[in-house]
Amino acid sequence: MIHCGKKHISAVVACILIFASVLICSWKDPQLQNNITRKIFRQTTTASPAGQLCRGKPAQNVITPLKDNRTFIIAPYFDDRESKTTRVIAIVHHEDVKELYCWFCCQPNGKIYVSKAKIDVHSDRFGFPYGAADIVCLEPENCDPTHVSIHQSPHGNIDQLPRFEIKNRKTKTFSADFTVCISTMFGNYNNVLQFIQSMEMYKILGVQKVVIYKNNCSQLMEKVLKFYMEEGTVEVIPWPINSHLKVSSKWHFILDGTHIGYYGQITALNDCIYRNMQRSKFVVLNDADEIILPLKHPDWITMMSSLQEQNPGTGIFLFENHIFPETVSTHVFNISSWNTVPGVNILQHVHREPDRKDVINPRKMIIDPRKVIQTSVHSVLRAYGNTVNVPMDVALIYHCRVPLQGNLPRESLIRDTTLWRYNSSLIVNVNKVLHQTVL
């Protein structure tokens, strides 16, 4: 039995009251709360052995599972738009993952700082148990971490944890005006002709880079991707998400035992935004069968200059999607050499479906990546600044795919030959690529 005197009891009570007062004050005063957080940072500091500034196992893959097998790390990015933080793009189980910690490796002293993370699962999960998430950690003072590890506990051996380089730490000059993010390429993708036509249209419109999150595609498509990678237009990000989770090819959950929708498309889009935040003036979020066609301007450069001038402070521009069914074609531009190439010839599909009553057409985006915090597929979830719906007389999305209104007779479709304004340059450019890859 333990005996305590009255003096000891009084001292314990006094300590409890003082600690409670500090907590109440810190709750009322954000600055004091921040100072306490900083003290916790200092208290959880451990020194690395000499000569081992950044320890842990370097992550080798785009998708890295943690030991809980409920958390999958994509990449960490430095984000100082509100405070000095590291934002880790990830996939997590929305219920099972409750607590994570950032283990920072600070330079130049090599000390390890452990910080509790805020786990922010994106709201657009569409019912799936796994969803895109931001794992956000406040960085400690006097620390410029180049690497971070993510762990379920503030305790452990950092040598056993995967180590991730924190990207966007250094400011860079833009290497591109427009970067297109395509996610994700799956299902043994083999729509070769339409893909090449889209790539060449993007370049005509002003794109310098196309980033593709590739799960799988045909051998012929691999050959085309290799050509564009060597050219410098395409950057392929390997996306083997089905090695870690049971994926769905649908966007909504239907109780079929799958873990995440559309091959983790939303996570890939968010990663693409942060990946290009410091290297591209604009990021375009659309699929390979979609082209934002300007109606009033010759290209995206002049279109976006005009839109920004008319809408100061706007960082998100939404363009309305319109279906050009691949089942309805014209004999114009029936180029014989293209007939041997698998895929759709978009120049032969210039009839679009009319708007449906009480159905809102989805939109895709051109964004200023530095103004976006989180995105979904058809809208942003969190951003700085304004969002604008671009009128259809300025631009629309040419989306050539299977019809949504398959029962409509041809005369009910709207003939729209906007694409043909680019036919001369497009045909020449496509032929050049085909003769170097397919033909």
Side-chain angles (χ1 to χ4, degrees):
M1 185 178 291
I2 298 176
H3 296 275
C4 294
K6 289 184 179 180
K7 289 184 179 180
H8 289 94
I9 294 172
S10 299
V12 170
V13 171
C15 288
I16 292 172
L17 290 174
I18 292 169
F19 183 68
S21 299
V22 170
L23 286 179
I24 293 170
C25 290
S26 70
W27 177 75
K28 290 182 178 180
D29 185 350
Q31 184 61 46
L32 182 56
Q33 187 180 33
N34 193 46
N35 290 339
I36 291 172
T37 302
R38 300 289 184 188
K39 288 179 181 179
I40 292 173
F41 272 128
R42 287 194 287 273
Q43 291 168 359
T44 56
T45 303
T46 59
S48 300
Q52 296 186 24
L53 295 183
C54 279
R55 294 152 58 201
K57 301 175 181 178
Q60 301 294 325
N61 302 309
V62 175
I63 304 174
T64 304
L66 299 188
K67 284 188 177 179
D68 66 352
N69 223 28
R70 295 287 188 275
T71 306
F72 302 87
I73 305 299
I74 312 303
Y77 297 92
F78 178 60
D79 187 352
D80 63 349
R81 291 173 294 181
E82 291 181 19
S83 57
K84 191 181 173 186
T85 61
T86 289
R87 183 182 301 271
V88 184
I89 306 299
I91 297 170
V92 304
H93 191 287
H94 78 287
E95 290 181 333
D96 293 353
V97 180
K98 300 291 188 185
E99 201 167 276
L100 291 170
Y101 294 83
C102 296
W103 292 48
F104 289 110
C105 183
C106 295
Q107 298 292 10
N109 58 19
K111 290 184 178 180
I112 305 300
Y113 288 79
V114 180
S115 168
K116 187 172 183 179
K118 175 187 175 184
I119 304 170
D120 188 358
V121 182
H122 293 202
S123 57
D124 271 9
R125 195 170 38 82
F126 301 111
F128 288 94
Y130 285 84
D134 294 349
I135 299 168
V136 185
C137 280
L138 184 68
E139 293 184 0
E141 292 177 341
N142 304 317
C143 174
D144 290 310
T146 57
H147 293 74
V148 68
S149 296
I150 308 297
H151 193 38
Q152 293 83 16
S153 169
H155 310 290
N157 181 2
I158 193 170
D159 293 318
Q160 301 301 315
L161 302 180
R163 183 184 80 207
F164 303 90
E165 180 185 359
I166 302 172
K167 301 177 182 179
N168 295 351
R169 175 65 63 182
K170 295 179 181 178
T171 304
K172 300 177 182 178
T173 56
F174 295 148
S175 58
D177 289 319
F178 294 94
T179 295
V180 175
C181 293
I182 294 177
S183 64
T184 54
M185 182 177 283
F186 62 89
N188 199 35
Y189 184 89
N190 194 42
N191 191 353
V192 174
L193 181 57
Q194 186 172 359
F195 178 85
I196 293 172
Q197 289 174 329
S198 292
M199 293 301 108
E200 296 309 313
M201 274 300 301
Y202 295 154
K203 289 194 287 184
I204 290 169
L205 292 168
V207 171
Q208 289 81 34
K209 183 70 72 175
V210 179
V211 180
I212 299 172
Y213 288 74
K214 188 198 75 173
N215 181 262
N216 63 54
C217 63
S218 70
Q219 287 187 345
L220 186 58
M221 192 67 227
E222 290 278 12
K223 191 174 180 180
V224 172
L225 288 176
K226 184 172 183 261
F227 167 82
Y228 279 115
M229 290 166 64
E230 291 174 351
E231 181 188 68
T233 302
V234 164
E235 177 183 359
V236 172
I237 311 297
W239 194 247
I241 188 169
N242 49 328
S243 298
H244 306 285
L245 295 169
K246 188 175 179 182
V247 297
S248 173
S249 59
K250 303 181 184 301
W251 65 268
H252 63 289
F253 186 56
I254 54 173
L255 296 175
D256 58 355
T258 53
H259 294 137
I260 195 166
Y262 220 68
Y263 283 72
Q265 177 189 33
I266 292 177
T267 308
L269 288 174
N270 280 274
D271 180 70
C272 198
I273 287 174
Y274 282 89
R275 186 179 292 265
N276 292 284
M277 191 165 282
Q278 292 187 2
R279 64 186 190 184
S280 189
K281 185 176 181 181
F282 294 105
V283 167
V284 185
L285 306 178
N286 64 217
D287 295 333
D289 59 359
E290 297 171 331
I291 302 166
I292 296 173
L293 281 182
L295 276 71
K296 289 186 175 180
H297 307 89
D299 51 41
W300 289 353
I301 296 171
T302 52
M303 178 184 72
M304 292 308 298
S305 295
S306 175
L307 285 172
Q308 284 190 308
E309 186 178 341
Q310 296 170 30
N311 303 280
T314 297
I316 299 94
F317 299 86
L318 300 171
F319 298 83
E320 195 172 283
N321 183 70
H322 288 272
I323 305 299
F324 289 71
E326 62 185 44
T327 53
V328 180
S329 62
T330 173
H331 293 295
V332 183
F333 300 113
N334 183 14
I335 300 169
S336 59
S337 61
W338 293 6
N339 293 334
T340 60
V341 182
V344 175
N345 176 4
I346 61 176
L347 287 172
Q348 291 189 288
H349 302 283
V350 290
H351 294 81
R352 58 179 166 86
E353 295 181 352
D355 290 341
R356 291 167 289 173
K357 188 179 180 181
D358 301 325
V359 176
I360 298 174
N361 292 334
R363 294 176 181 267
K364 293 295 178 73
M365 297 172 273
I366 296 180
I367 63 167
D368 175 351
R370 290 154 300 283
K371 292 187 177 180
V372 174
I373 303 170
Q374 294 178 355
T375 192
S376 186
V377 179
H378 301 292
S379 64
V380 296
L381 303 178
R382 293 177 58 203
Y384 308 101
N386 302 323
T387 299
V388 164
N389 290 331
V390 177
M392 188 179 160
D393 64 344
V394 174
L396 59 78
I397 296 177
Y398 173 93
H399 190 182
C400 185
R401 48 155 288 168
V402 295
L404 290 181
Q405 304 176 62
N407 294 326
L408 285 179
R410 186 187 184 101
E411 54 269 21
S412 297
L413 301 177
I414 301 163
R415 191 170 185 268
D416 184 340
T417 59
T418 305
L419 185 66
W420 286 358
R421 293 190 305 180
Y422 305 92
N423 73 80
S424 297
S425 298
L426 181 60
I427 291 170
V428 170
N429 295 351
V430 169
N431 278 332
K432 285 180 181 178
V433 177
L434 288 174
H435 282 101
Q436 294 181 72
T437 57
V438 178
L439 300 179

